[in-house]
Amino acid sequence: MKKSSNTSALSQSNSIPASANVSNTSAEKIKSLRKKKQDHTEILNRLLQGNQTALGKAITLVESNTIKHQQQASAIIEGAIASSGKSIRIGITGVPGVGKSTFIEAFGTYLLSLGKKVAVLAVDPSSSISKGSILGDKTRMENLVKEEMAFIRPSPSGDSLGGVARKTRESIMLCEATGFDVILIETVGVGQSETTVHSMCDFFLLLKLAGAGDELQGIKRGIMEMADAIVINKADGENVKAANTAKLDFRRALHLYPPKESGWTPKVLLSSALYNTGISEVWELITSFEKNSKENGYFEENRKQQNKFWLLQSINEQLKQSFYQNPEIKVALEEQLQAIFDKKTSPFIAAQQLLEKYSKL
């Protein structure tokens, strides 16, 4: 009778371990590739040569909240500054359902036919759970996304006012450094906070609807004062008559507002992104605005004021981040909140004490 072996069945197997099929050299190469960190110098060099993959990587670093990524992004932006500022920046806004993405696809396709390089920074509403984009502009611009001379980057809006991603300004600079002639910035919707969009654009385009009760909503001082042009979209089919009526209403409304610093008189146009009508007229209007504003000096002065606004806003954001991330402030904040809950102090006094504590750290 044979003695039973104490060795396990696994050790008796004649099969060759899977790892033996891979040479040591290949294994080390795979590990090296996996561990390889993004070289921001290489990304910058490729970006300046017009490489869209490098542009995408650079924007990813810009949007990251990781300290190491922010440092890399800062280095890339610093290296790209000299090559930026050579595009026309167009902000496009309007209520949800007005057809912004469809209009941008038709408009962008037309610009490509003129030999332009078009970048679209589409700011999507953020998911409250994953914090990611939920609309997916790349899927809604299925034709434009296939074009080699076009770049579409959807970004989650996060908690930024007006649905503008926190790092959109830096993304604009990177797109310009990559060689894009026209930067289109699509926003989530309209509201008082759309001033943030206005602060990063040369031309502000407001899309409106006719026959949907939008005329009354559109004739509001804030958004109308910012608009350089109003385009009544979906002016096709049975909606043509209503669109023409809305066009007259908006024209009358625009006469009630004071002249713009740019010396430009806003125009009202009709378009149908679905049938590609009125698209070329919109571009002709924008080029006319650009020519006039550069001749009277407003174009350059406006960009200087925008840079000032961006500087002050960046300081505010960094101070806010530094304040709330400070360990001592975190503890003091909880103590002050409890004191407020216990009705031992007021929110105003608590805020003052927290700021005083922070200034002494």
Side-chain angles (χ1 to χ4, degrees):
M1 187 174 179
K2 292 183 179 180
K3 291 184 179 181
S4 60
S5 176
N6 292 326
T7 55
S8 69
L10 289 175
S11 64
Q12 295 290 332
S13 173
N14 291 324
S15 64
I16 301 173
S19 59
N21 293 327
V22 182
S23 67
N24 291 333
T25 304
S26 298
E28 290 300 321
K29 187 175 181 180
I30 292 171
K31 290 180 182 179
S32 176
L33 287 171
R34 286 177 178 174
K35 294 181 179 179
K36 186 178 180 181
K37 298 178 181 178
Q38 289 180 311
D39 183 357
H40 66 269
T41 304
E42 181 183 352
I43 292 175
L44 174 62
N45 290 336
R46 290 173 61 203
L47 182 150
L48 294 175
Q49 293 171 5
N51 187 286
Q52 291 192 26
T53 302
L55 172 60
K57 289 182 178 180
I59 294 178
T60 297
L61 291 174
V62 163
E63 293 177 346
S64 173
N65 290 322
T66 306
I67 295 177
K68 183 178 290 186
H69 289 171
Q70 289 178 349
Q71 292 172 344
Q72 290 177 315
S74 296
I76 291 173
I77 292 169
E78 188 174 352
I81 289 176
S83 301
S84 65
K86 299 174 184 178
S87 74
I88 176 76
R89 306 165 184 171
I90 304 169
I92 300 178
T93 190
V95 295
V98 75
K100 292 188 293 292
S101 295
T102 308
F103 176 84
I104 288 174
E105 180 167 52
F107 188 52
T109 302
Y110 173 73
L111 294 176
L112 292 176
S113 71
L114 299 179
K116 303 290 184 182
K117 287 188 67 177
V118 182
V120 180
L121 300 177
V123 184
D124 273 352
S126 294
S127 165
S128 59
I129 298 175
S130 67
K131 308 302 181 184
S133 301
I134 60 178
L135 290 185
D137 285 84
K138 282 195 172 184
T139 60
R140 291 182 290 142
M141 301 179 191
E142 56 182 10
N143 293 321
L144 190 60
V145 74
K146 299 174 186 176
E147 299 290 341
E148 292 184 5
M149 301 297 283
F151 176 81
I152 301 176
R153 177 73 180 208
S155 300
S157 60
D159 56 1
S160 300
L161 289 177
V164 181
R166 182 169 56 93
K167 298 295 185 179
T168 302
R169 302 180 190 91
E170 287 84 356
S171 298
I172 290 173
M173 294 175 58
L174 293 175
C175 288
E176 291 177 337
T178 311
F180 287 94
D181 308 304
V182 183
I183 315 293
L184 304 178
I185 306 164
E186 178 195 1
T187 66
V188 173
V190 296
Q192 290 180 331
S193 52
E194 290 302 292
T195 52
T196 310
V197 187
H198 189 256
S199 70
M200 63 179 72
C201 300
D202 302 312
F203 189 92
F204 192 66
L205 180 63
L206 175 62
L207 291 178
K208 303 300 292 182
L209 286 173
D214 199 37
E215 295 89 337
L216 181 61
Q217 291 297 317
I219 305 174
K220 290 184 177 179
R221 191 170 189 86
I223 195 71
M224 291 285 285
E225 281 185 333
M226 289 188 292
D228 294 304
I230 297 174
V231 175
I232 313 296
N233 196 27
K234 301 185 180 180
D236 49 55
E238 296 179 357
N239 206 35
V240 172
K241 184 178 179 180
N244 279 301
T245 301
K247 180 179 180 180
L248 292 174
D249 290 340
F250 282 117
R251 274 183 174 175
R252 294 190 189 103
L254 287 171
H255 288 299
L256 301 175
Y257 298 109
K260 287 179 169 288
E261 292 181 14
S262 60
W264 174 258
T265 302
K267 306 293 190 300
V268 184
L269 300 176
L270 300 179
S271 77
S272 170
L274 185 62
Y275 294 99
N276 280 314
T277 58
I279 302 299
S280 61
E281 288 80 0
V282 174
W283 177 243
E284 288 173 8
L285 187 67
I286 294 174
T287 53
S288 178
F289 169 87
E290 182 181 15
K291 181 176 181 294
N292 291 344
S293 60
K294 284 184 175 180
E295 287 177 351
N296 63 24
Y298 174 79
F299 192 92
E300 186 62 31
E301 182 59 30
N302 182 49
R303 286 205 171 180
K304 288 180 180 178
Q305 292 303 315
Q306 287 180 350
N307 286 331
K308 178 182 177 180
F309 178 84
W310 294 359
L311 168 65
L312 298 178
Q313 191 178 59
S314 296
I315 291 172
N316 291 338
E317 289 178 357
Q318 291 182 36
L319 283 174
K320 180 180 176 180
Q321 187 177 21
S322 175
F323 178 85
Y324 285 109
Q325 289 183 350
N326 186 283
E328 293 187 35
I329 292 298
K330 286 182 179 180
V331 175
L333 179 59
E334 291 300 321
E335 294 174 351
Q336 291 292 350
L337 280 172
Q338 190 58 51
I340 292 172
F341 298 154
D342 296 337
K343 296 184 178 181
K344 294 180 180 179
T345 186
S346 73
F348 306 103
I349 295 174
Q352 187 177 10
Q353 291 178 352
L354 285 169
L355 290 171
E356 287 178 356
K357 180 179 180 64
Y358 180 71
S359 65
K360 295 176 182 178
L361 294 177

